[in-house]
Amino acid sequence: MDPKIRALHPHKKKVYVKVTSDTDATGYTEPKVIIWPDGRKYRVEDVKDFCPAGTVGRPYSGDCYTVVVRGQRRHLFYEQVDERFCGRHGRWFVEVTGR
């Protein structure tokens, strides 16, 4: 990662998660449940915002969902890992603070 970007987010790391979601007729995907690697499940109570978001320090594009989980706002990202598949190949992650 670029040292300048690392300086802005010194202790953030990605945790890749499984997400259960619904996609409507327009193609909008709404996350419903976030499942951590250890199996813990968290219901997404509300989606407050959605916007395109690039992945910091990586050549991937994706989306950022501002969601409410257990009463708190969190960011949930969808990282498109291969542009050739037009959004059909990607993965979900959350950023956590850690060393």
Side-chain angles (χ1 to χ4, degrees):
M1 178 181 285
D2 181 325
K4 292 177 187 173
I5 294 170
R6 174 58 63 198
L8 294 173
H9 307 282
H11 303 295
K12 295 278 184 173
K13 68 177 186 174
K14 292 180 184 179
V15 174
Y16 289 97
V17 294
K18 182 176 180 179
V19 173
T20 301
S21 61
D22 288 335
T23 303
D24 68 17
T26 67
Y28 174 71
T29 299
E30 185 171 329
K32 297 293 186 180
V33 178
I34 300 169
I35 306 165
W36 284 85
D38 65 6
R40 288 178 292 158
K41 295 181 181 182
Y42 295 97
R43 185 176 64 83
V44 174
E45 298 161 8
D46 194 14
V47 177
K48 293 294 189 183
D49 192 23
F50 164 83
C51 65
T55 301
V56 175
R58 302 276 189 225
Y60 309 134
S61 63
D63 302 311
C64 177
Y65 293 79
T66 302
V67 298
V68 177
V69 175
R70 299 178 77 185
Q72 296 185 357
R73 285 184 185 230
R74 301 286 184 215
H75 290 115
L76 174 64
F77 297 90
Y78 182 77
E79 174 181 79
Q80 194 172 334
V81 296
D82 194 334
E83 300 271 338
R84 297 174 296 164
F85 295 105
C86 301
R88 293 189 179 150
H89 186 234
R91 55 192 178 168
W92 295 92
F93 72 90
V94 294
E95 288 184 330
V96 297
T97 302
R99 293 187 183 258

